[in-house]
Amino acid sequence: MSALHVTIIGAGLGGLCLAQGLRRAGISFDVYERDDAPAARFQGYRLRIDANGLDALAQCLPGDHLTRIRERAAVARTGGRFVTPQLDDADVVLPPSWHDAHAETSATARRSTSTAARRIARADHIPGDVSLHRQTLREILLDGILDRVHFGKAFARTTITADGRRIAHFDDGSHSAPGLVVAADGSHSRVRDYVLPGMTPRDTGNVCCYGLTPLSTALLVLMDRHGEATVMEGSTVVFADGFAVVIEAMLFRRPPGAGTAPVAPLTPDRMPLSPVSDYLYWAFIGPSRTLLGASSTTEPAGAVPLARIESLTDTWHPHLRSLFANAVPDTVRTMPVRSTTSPLPWQVDGVTGLGDAVHTMSPAGGLGANTALRDAAQLAAHLQAAAQGQRTLSQAITAYERDMCERAQEAVRLADAGAALLNARRNPPLAPARAAADAVHL
């Protein structure tokens, strides 16, 4: 195997998936993360992994990791609705281009999904898409490579060796081994800003405000008895006037008799999984002035006063108001929505990127994490070909970036179409729905 070494900047989902793929391919790597520890920063809640994301995970992860993903996925719930704030059916027409592309993407995914990914999807009756707790997926991706992930390392710059390899330097004065540098450090990528200044994603003016409400079996039964289980079946999208809310139950109890994969004794490379209780995930998405108020300032991240959410929903159905009123205050966060207008190949010697570092997009299409995972699997495959001498490293990176940007441009287009649908003005309320709620995944 070649002496190729890969330096991954950022220990998010895409960077860790790439690291797992490189480990599987026998390619040397190190991951550098600016956070001080795996749980140093809030990681978010529910994450929908589609067929493309599952296929990428199946390509990069060992079999026991796939088993853990299956077992840690939320219990599958079918159905879902588009509703008004009064829980009546909402009349929503998807943009034709978005609907056609979504169907085409799904068909392509079904044709391309590997045997391992299909095995994940079929086990325990989990459908093609699965919902995972984001921190759980990150912990599974860290497992087995924890000794190659270096925390407290903020990227500063790169230098180039005489033979053209890149060395990453960090704020604490340390540096990486020479090799290929991969930017996987998110929408605020320091690597991107260093090698391509001026390529910062645009602020769309939208924000996503999300949180969780604890869920108990007793609450589920109570709601069923009163015929108000609408938010408990699949994804429910509430269309308000100029913004929308996505709600989904994350139930982690497995059927009786479901097996648990044996976990190897902890070693320096192993990552234990944190316990996660059942919860209702919800996310508001819409213009900042609408959701946060005219006097608000958009910050990178922060808390949203529950009083603001109470004000926005004061005329909504009592069950929805109760859902937000019983949220855990510390879990309520806001994030600005940014977007890369037209993702382009970087074409920078010795540096490439994946995920939000290259193609930040609105969460309205549910494609950001899945596209990053797909990037990781594709990059790992191209680098394996280079390590085996089938092509030069430069040829491998060129082919990867061309493919990645084509996929990313389509994903950004779909995400923008989804955001336009969610932000549409709806006054007066609309009539019964004609579209399936599972078309929109935040």
Side-chain angles (χ1 to χ4, degrees):
M1 192 65 72
S2 167
L4 171 64
H5 181 83
V6 181
T7 296
I8 303 168
I9 308 298
L13 302 181
L16 294 176
C17 186
L18 172 61
Q20 291 281 359
L22 296 176
R23 180 179 74 152
R24 189 169 182 175
I27 297 174
S28 172
F29 70 90
D30 283 286
V31 182
Y32 294 88
E33 167 59 48
R34 64 175 175 262
D35 289 345
D36 291 332
R41 181 167 52 90
F42 175 75
Q43 295 294 324
Y45 303 116
R46 174 270 221 172
L47 189 67
R48 181 65 65 85
I49 304 298
D50 64 18
N52 283 325
L54 288 173
D55 189 55
L57 291 169
Q59 289 181 49
C60 293
L61 297 178
D64 61 333
H65 286 51
L66 301 180
T67 299
R68 298 177 89 185
I69 287 175
R70 182 196 72 218
E71 293 181 343
R72 295 285 176 152
V75 176
R77 302 181 69 85
T78 59
R81 296 175 59 196
F82 283 174
V83 299
T84 71
Q86 295 304 319
L87 290 180
D88 297 319
D89 287 339
D91 184 12
V92 178
V93 180
L94 299 179
S97 61
W98 185 31
H99 177 79
D100 293 344
H102 179 79
E104 180 181 348
T105 299
S106 297
T108 300
R110 285 194 298 271
R111 288 193 299 270
S112 64
T113 301
S114 69
T115 301
R118 287 195 296 271
R119 191 162 61 245
I120 300 174
R122 290 172 180 166
D124 296 335
H125 306 291
I126 297 174
D129 289 3
V130 299
S131 292
L132 294 164
H133 188 64
R134 189 184 190 98
Q135 180 66 20
T136 298
L137 178 56
R138 188 166 184 252
E139 290 173 353
I140 291 173
L141 289 171
L142 279 165
D143 191 41
I145 61 170
L146 196 56
D147 57 336
R148 306 307 303 169
V149 182
H150 312 280
F151 291 94
K153 299 292 183 179
F155 174 85
R157 61 191 176 92
T158 68
T159 54
I160 305 177
T161 64
D163 58 359
R165 293 179 295 168
R166 292 267 181 168
I167 298 174
H169 297 260
F170 305 97
D171 283 351
D172 63 1
S174 62
H175 61 81
S176 71
L180 172 70
V181 171
V182 178
D185 50 344
S187 61
H188 297 281
S189 173
R190 280 192 172 193
V191 181
R192 180 198 60 233
D193 290 346
Y194 178 78
V195 299
L196 292 171
M199 293 291 289
T200 302
R202 64 182 175 88
D203 190 334
T204 66
N206 285 350
V207 294
C208 185
C209 306
Y210 51 97
L212 68 81
T213 301
L215 192 62
S216 68
T217 303
L219 176 60
L220 276 170
V221 172
L222 178 64
M223 294 185 75
D224 284 337
R225 286 177 179 172
H226 288 81
E228 297 290 352
T230 53
V231 297
M232 314 305 289
E233 296 295 335
S235 293
T236 294
V237 185
V238 183
F239 285 94
D241 192 14
F243 66 97
V245 186
V246 174
I247 305 169
E248 183 169 341
M250 295 290 285
L251 310 178
F252 299 102
R253 286 179 289 275
R254 297 189 296 276
T260 300
V263 178
L266 288 182
T267 57
D269 66 332
R270 301 308 301 252
M271 181 73 193
L273 299 187
S274 305
V276 182
S277 301
D278 296 344
Y279 61 86
L280 271 172
Y281 163 88
W282 47 265
F284 288 67
I285 185 167
S288 175
R289 289 175 61 87
T290 300
L291 296 184
L292 302 182
S295 61
S296 68
T297 57
T298 301
E299 299 179 355
V304 181
L306 282 172
R308 178 62 185 171
I309 292 176
E310 181 180 1
S311 174
L312 286 169
T313 61
D314 62 352
T315 63
W316 290 24
H317 191 285
H319 282 85
L320 291 174
R321 294 204 310 273
S322 177
L323 165 65
F324 307 128
N326 286 287
V328 179
D330 289 346
T331 70
V332 183
R333 303 296 178 92
T334 181
M335 294 291 290
V337 176
R338 296 187 169 91
S339 181
T340 302
T341 304
S342 181
L344 297 172
W346 283 13
Q347 297 181 317
V348 178
D349 290 343
V351 182
T352 191
L354 60 78
D356 284 348
V358 186
H359 46 67
T360 302
M361 64 190 74
S362 168
L367 297 172
N370 289 292
T371 307
L373 294 174
R374 194 67 178 168
D375 293 347
Q378 292 293 320
L379 181 53
H382 284 291
L383 292 179
Q384 183 175 16
Q388 293 173 344
Q390 299 173 15
R391 63 188 68 172
T392 67
L393 179 59
S394 177
Q395 290 171 335
I397 297 302
T398 297
Y400 158 72
E401 290 189 349
R402 180 175 60 248
D403 171 69
M404 177 266 292
C405 287
E406 288 178 358
R407 288 184 292 100
Q409 287 170 4
E410 177 66 0
V412 170
R413 185 183 72 83
L414 291 173
D416 287 345
L421 171 67
L422 298 181
N423 289 355
R425 302 299 298 182
R426 295 175 179 85
N427 195 11
L430 300 171
R434 296 197 305 265
D438 60 2
V440 179
H441 295 152
L442 282 182

Coordinates of all heavy atoms in Angstrom, one line a residue, residues 166 272 288:
R166 N 1.1 18.6 1.7 CA 0.7 19.6 2.6 C 0.9 19.2 4.1 O 0.6 18.1 4.5 CB -0.8 20.0 2.4 CG -1.1 20.6 1.1 CD -1.1 22.1 1.2 NE -1.5 22.7 -0.1 CZ -1.7 24.0 -0.3 NH1 -1.8 24.8 0.8 NH2 -2.0 24.5 -1.5
P272 N -17.5 4.6 23.9 CA -18.7 4.1 24.5 C -19.9 5.0 24.0 O -19.8 6.1 23.6 CB -18.5 4.3 26.0 CG -17.5 5.4 26.1 CD -16.6 5.3 24.9
S288 N -35.6 34.9 9.9 CA -35.1 35.3 11.2 C -36.0 36.3 11.9 O -36.3 36.2 13.1 CB -33.7 35.9 11.1 OG -33.2 36.4 12.4

